[in-house]
Amino acid sequence: MSRNDAAPGTVTAPPGRIRRMLSHLYIQCLIGVLLGAAVGGLWPSVGADLKPLGDGFIALVKMFIAPIIFCTVVHGIASMGNARAVGRVSLKALVYFEVLTTVAMAIGLLVVNVVKPGSGLHIDLSSLSTKGLPPEATTAHEGFAAFLLATIPATLVSALTGNEILPVLLVSVLFGFGLHAGGEPGLSIARGVEKFSTVLFTLIRWIMRLAPIGAFGSMAFTIGNYGVGTLRHLALLVGSFWLTALFFVLVVLGTVMRLNGLRLLPFLRYIKEELLIVLGTSSTEPVLPRMMAKLQHVGASKPVVGITLPAGYSFNLDGTAIYLTMGSVFLAQALGIDLSLTQQLAMLAVMLLTSKGAAGVTGSGFIALAATLGAVPHVPVAALALIFGVDRFMSEARALTSLVGNGVAALAVARWEDELDGDRARAVLRGEIPYAPAPAPSGVPAEPAPRQTPAPETMPEPTRDPVPAAS
């Protein structure tokens, strides 16, 4: 007898709670992280061999990042009524990035000078060697002019096939302006770009089902290759760094959210799946497409999100900023080098440059620290060998802090630009408007006029996504 043919008065049991919980991606990722840590701790050699699982998942997502950024930015600019608004958004975003990065570095500098995690180690510099460090850590690093030139790709297509975000953003902005100025032919292409982006987000949604496997492999590799025992020697540095990052997120970013009429904790719950993926993979790149979709769903306009979030991946790495100040001063303390306040401020000024362009991938913060030490004469690069073994355990905190920081930045710039639907944002964060992973396709207006508010049934492409009925 089928369930529909049950006898009168029979109560059909609802789906099991465990089954419903396991259907959520964030629960699957949490299980993957815990299983990976267990495998790496119990069978270190097996855990170390599982690294390809994490690397493969990250590579799959990175394959779509450049085209998704291109489609989002191009369509957003092409549908804007005022092209000068793009420059205004970019300027406000850069100002915000510099202010928050400086605050993060100042907090890290203050904590490391108060806690002094490296004092008392008395490391002999002659016992250290650069052997075993990544090759990128011991090579000469580019200057600021070379960094700017590197944002210009060799060809239009090479920007979409490379590994850097800034060239993609540059090409996307230029192409979007070209379509905006091209009239009806440009708008026709923009419609095709928008439809293509819908296909890309559908593919990303499929790939994200592999996130628990990627988190499992990456965590198993971290524990199996480095071992939890390595934390005992540098526990004060790792612990103080995690607590400093937590303080920055809760206090500084929480204050920014409050100033924009929102609350941080509901936002953290809203992006809990992305946070767990980042925790497992130590990389923010796999969640970039989902973060762009979720920020648009929460009420921020597509052009602001398309410009601010990708740019933040290179210019607004709050976690890396804290790591640079704490790591460099820790190494000086461990070697018995007394850095004056002037020398520390000089290092901070250098870090404002070396922290830029450090993509949100595992190990980028370590390379940025090597670039900082190579640019200042106070601490030798060989001292990096002291923290290389525990860097991976701080990489998760760097990535999580930077992810939350960039999400808050996009909302703050959108509010600053009056492109954030505050009522919708609060409703989404309260859970009244659940996020739908597959974005609905939409067209492009015949004449971009985002400030006009025609009737909903006659609006081909609103600046913000229409607010669906609460479910």
Side-chain angles (χ1 to χ4, degrees), residues 42-121:
L42 296 175
W43 304 285
S45 60
V46 175
D49 292 337
L50 293 176
K51 188 174 185 290
L53 292 179
D55 292 346
F57 169 70
I58 295 176
L60 275 174
V61 179
K62 287 181 67 175
M63 178 173 60
F64 291 95
I65 286 179
I68 283 177
I69 293 176
F70 178 81
C71 291
T72 303
V73 175
V74 167
H75 177 261
I77 294 176
S79 61
M80 291 185 72
N82 184 4
R84 284 185 294 182
V86 177
R88 189 171 63 246
V89 169
S90 301
L91 179 60
K92 290 179 178 180
L94 290 177
V95 171
Y96 176 94
F97 294 160
E98 286 304 313
V99 171
L100 266 291
T101 300
T102 304
V103 171
M105 288 183 175
I107 291 175
L109 200 62
L110 176 63
V111 171
V112 77
N113 278 283
V114 172
V115 179
K116 299 184 183 298
S119 297
L121 292 180

Side-chain angles (χ1 to χ4, degrees), residues 373-388:
L373 299 184
V376 294
H378 311 309
V379 182
V381 176
L384 289 171
L386 291 175
I387 61 174
F388 180 61

Side-chain angles (χ1 to χ4, degrees), residues 226-251:
Y226 299 106
V228 180
T230 58
L231 290 172
R232 291 197 303 266
H233 305 289
L234 298 171
L236 187 56
L237 171 63
V238 176
S240 59
F241 174 70
W242 271 85
L243 290 177
T244 304
L246 183 63
F247 173 84
F248 178 83
V249 170
L250 295 180
V251 177

Side-chain angles (χ1 to χ4, degrees), residues 35-48 50 219-225 227:
L35 288 178
V39 170
L42 296 175
W43 304 285
S45 60
V46 175
L50 293 176
M219 186 58 67
F221 165 76
T222 299
I223 302 298
N225 192 62

